[in-house]
Amino acid sequence: MRRLIGSVIVLAILAAAYLGSALWSLGALANAVRAGDGAAVIARTDIPSLTQSIADQVVAAYLTRIGQTRQVGSSERMLIRAAGSGVAQAMISKMLTPEHLTEFLKSGKLQGVPDIPQLTGLPRLADLETGDVLAMLQRFRFIEPMEFGFRVDGTAGTEDVSEVRLHFAGTGWKLSGLTLPATVARDLAAALPAK
């Protein structure tokens, strides 16, 4: 019995340290955003994963848009996903400079970026009260053992929800994805070349 209790206590401590390290990393990222420290924000971001995360949402919104006017076959869908992802990634890379990423995570707005429409409603990481552990646990979403999501705005399961995702990379947790509100993904998709 002592061994079982000891094992449960050890597992509880490990789980708390695991989740605590993710919350601490999110807090450090949010503080860098609030301070406007683009270099620190980029250092705490996995840019390739973040780019792919946003590109996937933009291409999905693009497919939905063209699917409203005509039937899109499976082979065309596959081609659009491949080609569209490259075009979307090139567009998104303009959003993910230290200055622009910090700006939109702070204000929820992006403007003045060539070939990208003015955007509002982006996840405002600066608004998260990362010091309130209970509130953060209510926003927490388990994705997989090395990845968590934290809801920033909106209601879970709705089109207006936005979320930041962190994954464990190397020695710590890094921003690896953003779930954009559906309107933002549609606005970005509208900036892609029409087919």
Side-chain angles (χ1 to χ4, degrees), residues 56-144:
D56 289 347
Q57 294 170 75
V58 171
V59 170
Y62 180 81
L63 283 167
T64 300
R65 182 178 65 149
I66 63 171
Q68 292 172 346
T69 58
R70 63 183 177 82
Q71 183 68 28
V72 181
S74 59
S75 59
E76 182 183 11
R77 185 175 296 274
M78 198 167 49
L79 286 171
I80 289 172
R81 284 195 188 278
S85 183
V87 173
Q89 286 179 8
M91 179 179 71
I92 292 162
S93 67
K94 297 174 186 176
M95 295 172 55
L96 301 182
T97 65
E99 298 80 24
H100 294 309
L101 178 60
T102 303
E103 169 67 26
F104 81 70
L105 289 175
K106 186 174 186 175
S107 69
K109 299 175 185 173
L110 184 67
Q111 50 195 354
V113 181
D115 304 321
I116 296 180
Q118 288 190 6
L119 300 173
T120 58
L122 290 159
R124 289 185 318 270
L125 185 59
D127 290 352
L128 279 182
E129 294 293 331
T130 54
D132 185 348
V133 175
L134 291 178
M136 291 306 297
L137 289 176
Q138 292 173 348
R139 295 172 176 271
F140 172 80
R141 182 172 72 92
F142 178 83
I143 298 171
E144 57 185 48

Side-chain angles (χ1 to χ4, degrees), residues 10-92:
V10 167
L11 284 174
I13 291 170
L14 289 174
Y18 184 65
L19 185 55
S21 68
L23 284 171
W24 181 86
S25 293
L26 180 62
L29 176 62
N31 288 337
V33 167
R34 288 183 199 108
D37 186 349
V41 170
I42 291 295
R44 298 179 184 284
T45 302
D46 180 342
I47 294 294
S49 294
L50 182 57
T51 302
Q52 188 63 53
S53 165
I54 297 171
D56 289 347
Q57 294 170 75
V58 171
V59 170
Y62 180 81
L63 283 167
T64 300
R65 182 178 65 149
I66 63 171
Q68 292 172 346
T69 58
R70 63 183 177 82
Q71 183 68 28
V72 181
S74 59
S75 59
E76 182 183 11
R77 185 175 296 274
M78 198 167 49
L79 286 171
I80 289 172
R81 284 195 188 278
S85 183
V87 173
Q89 286 179 8
M91 179 179 71
I92 292 162

